[in-house]
Amino acid sequence: MTVRPDATQGTIDSEEVARFSAMAQDWWDPTGKFKPLHKFNPVRLSYIKQEVCRQFGRDPKAVDAFKGLRFLDIGCGGGLLSEPMARLGADVVGADPSETNIEIARLHMKTSGLEIDYRAETAESLAAAGESFDVVLNMEVVEHVANAPLFLKSTAGMVRPGGLMFVATINRTLKAYALAIVGAEYVLRWLPKGTHSYEKLVRPGEIEAPLGEAGLSIVDRLGVTFNPLTDSWSRSRDMDVNYMMLAAREQAE
């Protein structure tokens, strides 16, 4: 049985923060330690754009399709998702507990000519400050926090009525252990050893329950699989390893 931290604890895992801080210089190197995220980005970006435009009645072909929408990119790292959202016109808050990651994100933002509100903050501190967003991006983060239920409730609580939250993570299955940990970290060496811990991987039901308690409804679930022949990721029905979930809060009456 997987032991989960008590809900009174915070969500920050200091070892995880230190691990990603040590790799911060590589965030924007498509051939570096974050190469898998660069490869993964197109499929998650296309999904986010599709569903946000559908929810808010936007034209997906418009260069400013997200204009007027406020986004939170929680666990933003170096800004790999924050910058594309800002380019589409969104008002973006990028939050990460690592000061090093935030500094890298700010430096890259300046070279990109974008305006993004980067903050070295936690989900709990943002929620406690009463922050709210039309869209919360909770991507490849939940498997690295110390208290997944608290983290999910904190982020879900910031979704405005009619808003969306995207979650992307890795399932806790033997298949995921074989492919995402043994295969990706030890055999293919796509990721540094120790990037993921099996006991911290999260099953879909463990995402759904905290979001439901926070008033969100799951509206979509899908897997994401890698094709070695095309060297690319694509959407799939197979949620055994990587998967994404989309949750929404009902419009206020």
Side-chain angles (χ1 to χ4, degrees):
M1 182 176 75
T2 300
V3 178
R4 297 295 180 186
D6 186 86
T8 60
Q9 298 178 11
T11 66
I12 299 304
D13 185 320
S14 58
E15 290 184 3
E16 295 279 9
V17 173
R19 180 180 297 114
F20 283 93
S21 294
M23 299 188 291
Q25 294 293 335
D26 285 337
W27 272 110
W28 288 95
D29 180 0
T31 63
K33 294 176 181 177
F34 293 101
K35 179 179 178 179
L37 270 184
H38 285 270
K39 292 275 188 185
F40 193 60
N41 235 13
V43 69
R44 61 181 185 170
L45 288 174
S46 67
Y47 183 64
I48 291 168
K49 187 175 184 181
Q50 170 190 298
E51 295 302 326
V52 170
C53 287
R54 177 181 296 168
Q55 179 75 0
F56 295 97
R58 303 302 178 87
D59 179 2
K61 296 180 180 179
V63 295
D64 59 350
F66 294 170
K67 185 177 181 180
L69 297 177
R70 191 168 193 243
F71 276 59
L72 170 63
D73 182 9
I74 190 70
C76 64
L80 298 187
L81 278 177
S82 294
E83 289 201 8
M85 301 302 106
R87 287 194 190 95
L88 285 167
D91 174 13
V92 181
V93 173
D96 196 287
S98 167
E99 293 273 4
T100 307
N101 284 345
I102 290 298
E103 186 58 32
I104 293 293
R106 286 172 177 160
L107 289 171
H108 197 273
M109 172 189 71
K110 292 178 181 178
T111 67
S112 301
L114 298 169
E115 288 294 331
I116 298 168
D117 183 2
Y118 282 121
R119 308 181 191 179
E121 284 195 61
T122 66
E124 302 100 289
S125 65
L126 289 166
E131 295 280 4
S132 65
F133 302 88
D134 298 296
V135 180
V136 173
L137 303 179
N138 192 334
M139 311 293 276
E140 288 76 43
V141 183
V142 69
E143 71 270 23
H144 298 293
V145 303
N147 187 325
L150 175 60
F151 176 72
L152 288 165
K153 289 178 184 178
S154 296
T155 50
M158 291 185 277
V159 178
R160 292 171 174 170
L164 299 173
M165 183 160 89
F166 294 81
V167 181
T169 189
I170 302 174
N171 206 340
R172 195 171 69 255
T173 63
L174 291 179
K175 183 176 178 180
Y177 176 76
L179 296 179
I181 296 180
V182 176
E185 297 180 19
Y186 292 85
V187 178
L188 298 174
R189 297 185 180 180
W190 285 351
L191 296 165
K193 294 177 182 178
T195 298
H196 294 105
S197 299
Y198 178 74
E199 64 274 10
K200 293 182 74 173
L201 303 184
V202 188
R203 292 174 178 159
E206 295 165 349
I207 301 286
E208 295 177 10
L211 298 192
E213 291 173 11
L216 301 187
S217 300
I218 303 298
V219 296
D220 194 26
R221 307 167 180 82
L222 71 156
V224 186
T225 55
F226 181 74
N227 185 334
L229 298 178
T230 60
D231 191 29
S232 63
W233 293 85
S234 61
R235 302 180 199 180
S236 167
R237 294 181 180 178
D238 182 357
M239 295 177 61
D240 288 348
V241 185
N242 294 83
Y243 67 95
M244 294 192 288
M245 303 183 77
L246 176 62
R249 186 180 302 282
E250 289 186 3
Q251 288 279 5
E253 295 183 3

